[in-house]
Amino acid sequence: MTASATTLGPTRPSPLREFGASVATIMVKELRSRMRGRRAFVVLTAYLGLLALITYGVYVVVAPSASAQASFNGAFPGAANVSAIIGQSIFSLLSIFQLILVCFIAPGFTAGQISLEREKQTLDLLISTPLRPGAIVVGKLLAALAFVVLMIVAAIPITAIVLMYGGASVDDIVRQQLVLLATALGLGSIGLFYSALLKRTQAATVLTYITVLALTLGTVMLFIFWSVLLVRDDAG
């Protein structure tokens, strides 16, 4: 009678779970250093206060003309339309302000994620860990954009004020949040690309903002220039 003993070693986690754990490790490390202290909470409070002031300012500017129009019409449908105009004005201005802020903040948070590791001479130590390079990059990107996402999500209650006036629905708010998140992810990826390509944070930041300006203001100016040329061709 022979007995064969089989020894089972520790099971290796799946590649997807290992990748997720590595990303979570990088994010926890970065967020602990970023969210330490009161600066992040002071910035978030000031940001929400500024959005509240913008909302109140739009109401103060638009409400007098809206009241005059409602009293002139003297009918309930007219008052409903005026309320919708107020809601649309608040929603449009808040969306534009948040989009500009995301275009300005998101690249700045990611432009120094890897170049700073080079300047501090800690990149070699980070690479020598069992963490995969892809997990390091994704973790750095998500950790840098976590505060931007927090600012976007924290502004939802202020944006939801437009539901009280009308002119914008829940679907519009959801689409607004998706556009802001996609913009933050895209522009943040550009900053991380230059941070990995260049050795200096200052050079990476400058090239990142040049690229962002080319993609935003540059495309708008190109569209205006092309529209003017088309109008001249039609007139000629």
Side-chain angles (χ1 to χ4, degrees):
M1 180 176 178
T2 60
S4 60
T6 59
T7 59
L8 297 177
T11 58
R12 183 182 179 88
S14 62
L16 183 60
R17 182 176 297 179
E18 185 179 358
F19 182 83
S22 301
V23 171
T25 301
I26 296 295
M27 288 186 63
V28 169
K29 170 185 172 295
E30 295 292 330
L31 289 176
R32 280 180 179 175
S33 60
R34 186 179 296 274
M35 301 299 291
R36 188 175 299 163
R38 338 179 186 173
R39 184 177 63 180
F41 302 100
V42 170
V43 171
L44 183 61
T45 303
Y47 167 70
L48 295 178
L50 183 59
L51 288 182
L53 287 177
I54 291 175
T55 304
Y56 179 72
V58 173
Y59 175 79
V60 170
V61 172
V62 178
S65 59
S67 301
Q69 184 176 355
S71 61
F72 177 77
N73 292 332
F76 179 76
N81 291 332
V82 168
S83 178
I85 291 174
I86 296 176
Q88 289 176 358
S89 302
I90 295 175
F91 182 76
S92 301
L93 196 58
L94 286 180
S95 300
I96 293 173
F97 178 77
Q98 287 182 279
L99 186 61
I100 293 175
L101 195 66
V102 167
C103 293
F104 181 76
I105 291 180
F109 279 179
T110 58
Q113 286 296 307
I114 299 179
S115 59
L116 280 176
E117 297 286 349
R118 285 198 187 97
E119 293 176 359
K120 295 178 181 178
Q121 297 181 356
T122 56
L123 184 61
D124 294 335
L125 296 176
L126 188 61
I127 294 176
S128 62
T129 60
L131 301 177
R132 295 183 179 180
I136 295 175
V137 172
V138 174
K140 289 279 189 181
L141 178 62
L142 295 181
L145 296 180
F147 187 71
V148 181
V149 174
L150 178 62
M151 295 175 67
I152 294 173
V153 174
I156 293 179
I158 298 178
T159 308
I161 294 177
V162 301
L163 299 177
M164 181 177 62
Y165 294 100
S169 62
V170 177
D171 295 337
D172 296 327
I173 297 177
V174 172
R175 283 193 290 266
Q176 177 206 40
Q177 300 302 310
L178 292 178
V179 169
L180 292 175
L181 293 175
T183 303
L185 182 61
L187 298 183
S189 301
I190 295 175
L192 193 65
F193 168 75
Y194 283 115
S195 180
L197 183 64
L198 303 175
K199 296 181 179 180
R200 295 296 179 183
T201 303
Q202 185 175 4
T205 304
V206 171
L207 286 179
T208 298
Y209 280 110
I210 289 175
T211 305
V212 170
L213 288 176
L215 291 176
T216 54
L217 295 180
T219 52
V220 172
M221 294 176 64
L222 184 62
F223 173 76
I224 295 174
F225 177 73
W226 186 256
S227 300
V228 171
L229 288 182
L230 291 178
V231 170
R232 289 186 177 180
D233 290 339
D234 293 339

